[in-house]
């Protein structure tokens, strides 16, 4: 019997897996075009024709809106800025509560704090890991001003139920679709599954421009308010004779550069082909992983398209009688790093994030100043352990995710991934 690599045996493969390399000649040409123009950003933070940015930014916004079937797209410098912008546009402010997921990147929960509102955590669904609409309903109070619902790992959030809740209580929904460009629920693409959708163009996402984000919406007023917040609203509203609500019209500089926009335009053209290859790789892996009874492969809600930012799998520890962490570490030890991400180890790990309410920010309730603002405006906040049992269980013992299906991975590479699961399962006694 082969000794497991985690116990000093030989790894199944040492040579790195191929990179997820999405930047090519097209992006290079686009970047050079902008560099040669000498205009790396064209925004002016006052009321002027250039208030809306340069040609590349505005072209990206047109391309993005058309591709995702939204009326308006607003380019910003990150998804994080985009979430803050969207909350500001919705008039969120001190004393308000925003329902969020505990199982996401930190900003999906912390964004409300920037407008003096607080996050209220609702638990996630056991199958899609997105916010559970049943749990969301339980968290609604007269103070609830918005919901940030994350289409996590590439699976669309439960948009039909969220819409029902949104209509019934008149609470707008922001969809954080950083991980789900091209995902679909019925005939609607992610981004359109709430009142505003926010994408990310960060280096680690399906397509990227280094850093960047895009907000989409069909609401003209919200689009205008996002554009104002993006670019120094306070310095602009008089000049443009803005007649909307003055609330939250203190702006930021969330502007995207021409360079990023030009690169993002080329990336968008590649998105669909990249998604196809990613999905094909997942299908191949699943056809071979299906035989492992201790793995529970991700299920899609009916009518949904999953775009697998992460291939998220649940681990049934009773079958092998080994904890998930030990199992996943053993698989990880058999596999190589991935080119462009050398030093990170194999791109597979257990648990995803610790439920966000357990971060010290929420445990200590210190955000701005030393008095606990804005948490101290509420006496009904609960950030204690046990709050979201599904998210806690996923983190502690059930969930693991990997990125070993990115385009560039060939059948022979995917076979190594499957072989690692087999080798560990066959030699699981070494882990006990
Ligand atoms: C990456 C990510 C973000 C943050 O995106 P940035 O563009 O890096 O600010 C937010 N939410 C989710 C779900 C993400 O995956």
């Amino acid at each position: 019997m082969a000794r497991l690599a985690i116990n000093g045996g030989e790894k199944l493969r040492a040579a790195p897996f191929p990179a997820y390399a999405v930047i090519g000649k097209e992006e290079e040409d686009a970047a050079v075009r902008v560099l040669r123009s000498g205009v790396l950003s064209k925004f002016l933070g006052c009321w002027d024709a250039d208030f809306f940015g340069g040609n590349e930014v505005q072209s990206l916004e047109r391309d993005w809106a058309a591709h995702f079937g939204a009326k308006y797209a607003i380019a910003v410098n990150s998804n994080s800025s985009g979430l803050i912008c969207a909350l500001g546009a919705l008039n969120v402010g001190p004393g308000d509560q925003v329902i969020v997921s505990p199982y996401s990147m930190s900003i999906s929960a912390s964004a409300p704090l920037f407008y003096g509102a607080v996050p209220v955590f609702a638990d996630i669904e056991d199958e899609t890991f997105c916010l559970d609409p049943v749990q969301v309903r339980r968290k609604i109070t007269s103070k609830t001003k918005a919901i940030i619902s994350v289409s996590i790992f590439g699976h669309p959030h439960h948009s039909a139920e969220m819409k029902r809740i949104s209509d019934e209580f008149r609470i707008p929904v922001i969809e954080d679709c950083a991980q789900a460009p091209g995902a679909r629920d019925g005939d609607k693409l992610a981004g359109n599954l709430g009142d505003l959708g926010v994408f990310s163009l960060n280096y680690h996402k399906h397509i990227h421009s280094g850093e960047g984000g895009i907000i989409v919406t069909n609401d003209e007023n919200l689009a205008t308010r996002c554009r104002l917040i993006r670019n120094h609203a306070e310095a602009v509203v008089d000049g443009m004779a803005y007649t909307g609500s003055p609330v939250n019209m203190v702006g930021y500089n969330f502007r995207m550069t021409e360079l990023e926009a030009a690169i993002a335009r080329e990336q968008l053209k590649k998105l669909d082909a990249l998604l196809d290859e990613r999905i094909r790789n997942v299908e191949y892996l699943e056809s071979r992983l299906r035989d492992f009874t201790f793995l529970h492969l991700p299920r899609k809600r009916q009518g949904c398209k999953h775009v697998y930012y992460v291939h998220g799998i649940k681990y049934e520890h009773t079958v092998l009688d080994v904890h998930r962490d030990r199992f996943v570490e053993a698989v990880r030890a058999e596999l190589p790093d991935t080119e462009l991400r050398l030093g990170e180890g194999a791109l597979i790990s257990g648990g995803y994030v610790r439920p966000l309410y357990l971060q010290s920010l929420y445990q200590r309730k210190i955000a701005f100043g030393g008095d606990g603002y804005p948490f101290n405006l509420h006496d009904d906040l609960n950030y204690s352990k046990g709050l979201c049992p599904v998210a806690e269980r996923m983190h502690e013992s059930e969930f693991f995710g990997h990125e070993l299906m990115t385009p560039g991975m060939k059948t022979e590479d995917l076979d190594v991934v499957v072989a690692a699961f087999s080798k560990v399962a066959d030699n699981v006694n070494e882990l006990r």
Side-chain angles (χ1 to χ4, degrees):
M1 271 279 170
R3 203 141 76 103
L4 292 177
I6 198 171
N7 289 335
E10 204 175 329
K11 273 167 123 55
L12 274 180
R13 166 161 158 175
F17 281 137
Y20 180 47
V22 291
I23 300 297
K25 183 79 172 77
E26 300 79 6
E27 288 77 10
E28 185 182 327
D29 290 347
V32 168
R33 177 179 76 229
V34 172
L35 285 172
R36 292 215 172 119
S37 78
V39 182
L40 273 55
S41 177
K42 205 158 190 283
F43 278 103
L44 274 180
C46 58
W47 186 235
D48 181 276
D50 289 338
F51 172 71
F52 297 110
N55 179 56
E56 298 291 347
V57 164
Q58 293 194 39
S59 298
L60 171 64
E61 291 177 340
R62 277 193 297 274
D63 295 350
W64 201 277
H67 186 96
F68 290 96
K71 267 199 194 147
Y72 308 99
I74 301 99
V76 286
N77 58 4
S78 70
N79 163 292
S80 303
S81 314
L83 290 174
I84 294 169
C85 225
L87 289 161
L90 289 170
N91 285 343
V92 168
D96 291 340
Q97 300 182 342
V98 177
I99 297 177
V100 303
S101 167
Y103 211 51
S104 182
M105 208 241 151
S106 62
I107 190 68
S108 314
S110 62
L113 295 170
F114 291 91
Y115 280 103
V118 295
V120 167
F121 294 89
D123 209 350
I124 56 171
E125 295 178 323
D126 181 78
E127 291 289 345
T128 68
F129 317 111
C130 297
L131 265 185
D132 181 345
V134 174
Q135 301 303 325
V136 169
R137 273 181 186 276
R138 292 195 178 147
K139 302 288 170 157
I140 292 172
T141 71
S142 57
K143 297 195 217 168
T144 310
K145 194 64 178 270
I147 298 167
I148 299 176
S149 195
V150 187
S151 292
I152 197 79
F153 305 139
H155 190 287
H157 77 124
H158 202 317
S159 66
E161 272 307 311
M162 286 301 174
K163 174 103 174 60
R164 208 162 288 142
I165 292 170
S166 174
D167 290 348
E168 189 177 330
F169 297 94
R170 295 171 178 259
I171 299 170
V173 174
I174 298 169
E175 182 198 3
D176 178 350
C177 44
Q179 302 187 357
R184 202 167 11 79
D185 189 350
D187 57 3
K188 278 195 179 163
L189 283 170
N192 301 296
L193 306 177
D195 295 271
L196 301 115
V198 188
F199 294 91
S200 173
L201 288 164
N202 168 266
Y203 175 59
H204 289 288
K205 300 297 160 41
H206 292 78
I207 55 172
H208 77 90
S209 54
E211 303 286 353
I214 312 237
I215 306 163
V216 293
T217 182
N218 289 323
D219 184 310
E220 187 180 1
N221 174 49
L222 292 178
T224 299
R225 287 173 60 78
C226 284
R227 291 192 180 110
L228 280 162
I229 292 168
R230 164 177 72 178
N231 191 8
H232 302 294
E234 71 285 352
V236 177
V237 289
D238 294 333
M240 86 186 284
Y242 169 72
T243 55
S245 164
V247 172
N248 294 341
M249 286 299 113
V250 185
Y252 291 88
N253 174 350
F254 285 158
R255 306 179 305 211
M256 179 184 273
T257 68
E258 289 286 280
L259 207 47
E260 290 157 336
I263 293 169
R265 287 174 69 193
E266 296 304 323
Q267 287 279 281
L268 180 59
K269 294 179 196 163
K270 298 182 178 179
L271 177 63
D272 286 344
L274 288 168
L275 295 181
D276 288 347
E277 189 176 344
R278 186 180 286 257
I279 290 166
R280 271 201 307 279
N281 283 349
V282 166
E283 283 170 358
Y284 180 74
L285 277 176
E286 291 200 345
S287 72
R288 304 209 44 207
L289 293 176
R290 192 156 287 131
D291 298 336
F292 297 108
T293 55
F294 54 88
L295 297 182
H296 182 97
L297 300 174
R299 279 205 209 136
K300 286 173 283 201
R301 203 172 39 253
Q302 200 179 0
C304 286
K305 176 178 178 180
H306 198 317
V307 294
Y308 303 108
Y309 176 65
V310 165
H311 189 214
I313 298 173
K314 287 195 289 184
Y315 172 81
E316 174 55 70
H317 73 98
T318 54
V319 178
L320 299 178
D321 194 24
V322 164
H323 190 272
R324 175 211 53 206
D325 289 346
R326 188 110 175 95
F327 180 82
V328 171
E329 281 311 309
V331 172
R332 190 174 145 84
E334 298 296 335
L335 297 171
D337 288 26
T338 293
E339 293 279 7
L340 282 184
R341 295 179 67 176
L342 299 176
E344 290 184 43
L347 302 178
I348 176 168
S349 62
Y352 193 51
V353 297
R354 189 170 54 141
L356 296 174
Y357 49 85
L358 298 176
Q359 290 180 334
S360 63
L361 168 62
Y362 305 107
Q363 293 303 306
R364 294 159 68 174
K365 296 205 182 83
I366 296 292
F368 301 106
D371 297 332
Y373 175 85
F375 302 106
N376 57 8
L377 304 180
H378 304 259
D379 51 20
D380 55 347
L381 293 181
N382 179 2
Y383 297 140
S384 40
K385 182 133 175 48
L387 179 64
C388 297
V390 179
E392 291 186 17
R393 175 160 47 85
M394 290 308 147
H395 175 68
E396 285 162 12
S397 62
E398 270 193 34
F399 180 90
F400 71 91
H402 73 85
E403 297 169 63
L404 300 168
M405 69 326 204
T406 45
M409 290 286 281
K410 301 285 175 245
T411 307
E412 75 235 37
D413 303 313
L414 301 173
D415 286 340
V416 176
V417 175
V418 176
F421 281 92
S422 290
K423 183 178 170 190
V424 175
D426 291 346
N427 297 281
V428 73
N429 57 316
E430 281 188 42
L431 299 177
R432 295 202 189 102

